[in-house]
Amino acid sequence: MILAKVLASVFGFSLGAAERTYLWDREPLPPCEGGVLHLDGKYRTTTEVEYHDDCLLRGAPGTEVEVDGKIHFLANARLQGSIVFTRAPDASNHRRCVDIEGSLDMSDVDIEFRGCGGPETEDGGALYVEGRMDMSNGSVVFRNGSAMWGGCLFVGQRLFMAGGLLRFEHCVAGELGGGVYAQGDLVQSGGHLHFTNCHAYRGKGGALHLAGTDLLQENGKITLSNCWAGNGGCICSNKLIAKTNSSAIADMEDFQGKVVLNGTLVAGGGSADYKGGVIFAASGELGGRMTLRNCKARVGGCLHFKDFVVQ
Ligand SMILES: *[C@@H]1O[C@H](CO)[C@@H](O)[C@H](O)[C@H]1NC(C)=O
Ligand SMILES: *[C@@H]1O[C@H](CO)[C@@H](O)[C@H](O)[C@H]1NC(C)=O
Ligand SMILES: *[C@@H]1O[C@H](CO)[C@@H](O)[C@H](O)[C@H]1NC(C)=O
Ligand SMILES: *[C@@H]1O[C@H](CO)[C@@H](O)[C@H](O)[C@H]1NC(C)=O
């Protein structure tokens, strides 16, 4: 704005014109014609945008979408190419950025979500996927998203990661899953799943919360740095009976969910107010290479499983 004022005084056009130029710079999102939505440039949504049929969303390098009204896919979606989704600085609501009612497939991506959602967003501050989510290769970075469940990402069915990078930074949940809330299994056969500075304020799973389902790492790497929650500072799998009452969550110990590690896990700075500084789940099979540093909790400084606890 200061730059705009300087330009206005130097070139003699009014500030109003400069502001309108900024809005003119950003086009509304086009329709998904023939199942392909190709974006190249700068866009902005002011109201919710709906896509009713299966759609491939592809971005050219440098593409940005400023989101005020969420982008809503009512069927399946595929993402490819380069796109930065940013919550509009003057956004009038706390809506998430992208909502997919079907499944999501991502390959050859370079995608970033910045500042999506807010304390009033129910689940998946940046991205909500009702069905399955598949990540093949490329990189998807989530920054500064927040919601009640799954600060940055909610996945309703299986989340499968074959390769690439999924990175979560400063993702915050009011209740469960600071970075991710997953209702199905999370299966990693490769790639890097990275969480840094993710928190679940009143609940469990500072980085990742699984709803009593399993984390199965066949290969690949998981990095957890500085995550915090009530139980399961970084990763928690526990079946939840009611997800509407936070005072009930702290009391419940309905153990379900297994954590199987067979790749690399590096955790530094995981902390839980109560149990499992890094991981809290019903059972675990811990293989591969695991490094745990600076974890703390009241019970199970690093790991807490139903049958055993590692201080
Ligand atoms: C990414 O994955 C897709 C789907 O598996 C594949 O077709 C494509 O060749 C891969 N790209 C790279 C760069 O490996
Ligand atoms: C993201 O959140 C962190 C921690 O609250 C903050 O330091 C940082 O400035 C935020 N970044 C953006 C781009 O808002
Ligand atoms: C565990 O990792 C090894 C070495 O990467 C691999 O060969 C094996 O198939 C993996 N086991 C499972 C159960 O995924
Ligand atoms: C939440 O749980 C507490 C303690 O179990 C109970 O007293 C309270 O009535 C519940 N609130 C709602 C809205 O269900």
Side-chain angles (χ1 to χ4, degrees):
M1 195 53 80
I2 288 169
L3 178 64
K5 274 183 184 150
V6 171
L7 286 175
S9 65
V10 170
F11 295 106
F13 54 77
S14 77
L15 184 59
E19 276 173 334
R20 280 200 299 277
T21 308
Y22 163 80
L23 281 178
W24 287 341
D25 270 357
R26 295 182 179 259
E27 298 168 47
L29 286 179
C32 186
E33 263 169 50
V36 181
L37 177 55
H38 184 77
L39 301 182
D40 185 0
K42 294 188 173 19
Y43 302 82
R44 182 187 163 106
T45 67
T46 47
T47 54
E48 181 170 327
V49 185
E50 289 191 347
Y51 296 102
H52 291 263
D53 301 317
D54 288 358
C55 183
L56 163 63
L57 174 55
R58 193 191 287 138
T63 295
E64 283 177 29
V65 184
E66 215 172 74
V67 184
D68 193 349
K70 74 174 175 185
I71 304 163
H72 195 174
F73 294 91
L74 293 133
N76 302 309
R78 281 196 292 149
L79 279 176
Q80 277 178 11
S82 247
I83 307 175
V84 177
F85 296 96
T86 316
R87 191 174 111 94
D90 53 346
S92 49
N93 55 55
H94 287 276
R95 286 193 207 124
R96 68 178 67 90
C97 283
V98 176
D99 188 329
I100 297 164
E101 303 303 337
S103 293
L104 170 66
D105 199 281
M106 295 191 285
S107 62
D108 294 323
V109 280
D110 177 11
I111 295 200
E112 195 177 319
F113 291 88
R114 291 187 195 145
C116 300
E120 287 159 33
T121 306
E122 196 176 48
D123 30 27
L127 174 62
Y128 175 98
V129 183
E130 175 87 29
R132 293 158 62 131
M133 176 169 142
D134 282 273
M135 169 76 183
S136 305
N137 47 36
S139 138
V140 183
V141 179
F142 296 86
R143 291 202 166 95
N144 297 60
S146 72
M148 292 306 281
W149 299 280
C152 281
L153 173 66
F154 171 97
V155 184
Q157 294 172 19
R158 193 184 75 148
L159 197 174
F160 179 69
M161 182 175 191
L165 170 71
L166 280 176
R167 185 177 166 94
F168 299 84
E169 277 178 34
H170 296 291
C171 296
V172 174
E175 301 284 355
L176 303 172
V180 182
Y181 182 97
Q183 278 190 330
D185 294 341
L186 194 169
V187 181
Q188 182 187 32
S189 71
H192 190 180
L193 192 53
H194 190 136
F195 297 90
T196 184
N197 293 306
C198 293
H199 310 288
Y201 275 107
R202 285 182 297 274
K204 301 170 180 177
L208 168 66
H209 188 276
L210 298 136
T213 48
D214 301 338
L215 168 62
L216 304 170
Q217 184 196 38
E218 293 160 358
N219 219 323
K221 183 173 182 180
I222 300 174
T223 307
L224 303 160
S225 114
N226 188 28
C227 24
W228 170 77
N231 277 334
C234 297
I235 294 173
C236 178
S237 182
N238 207 349
K239 187 80 182 164
L240 209 69
I241 295 156
K243 70 170 191 175
T244 45
N245 191 333
S246 57
S247 54
I249 288 167
D251 298 326
M252 245 172 341
E253 286 200 2
D254 180 14
F255 283 107
Q256 276 188 50
K258 181 168 67 177
V259 172
V260 178
L261 300 174
N262 181 49
T264 303
L265 178 107
V266 179
S271 100
D273 291 343
Y274 196 42
K275 295 177 178 176
V278 176
I279 298 176
F280 176 89
S283 64
E285 288 169 28
L286 308 176
R289 293 161 297 281
M290 185 159 66
T291 312
L292 305 171
R293 267 186 238 108
N294 301 327
C295 23
K296 68 170 196 272
R298 217 181 298 167
V299 186
C302 290
L303 309 173
H304 188 286
F305 299 104
K306 192 176 177 187
D307 301 319
F308 72 97
V309 160
V310 179
Q311 292 303 333

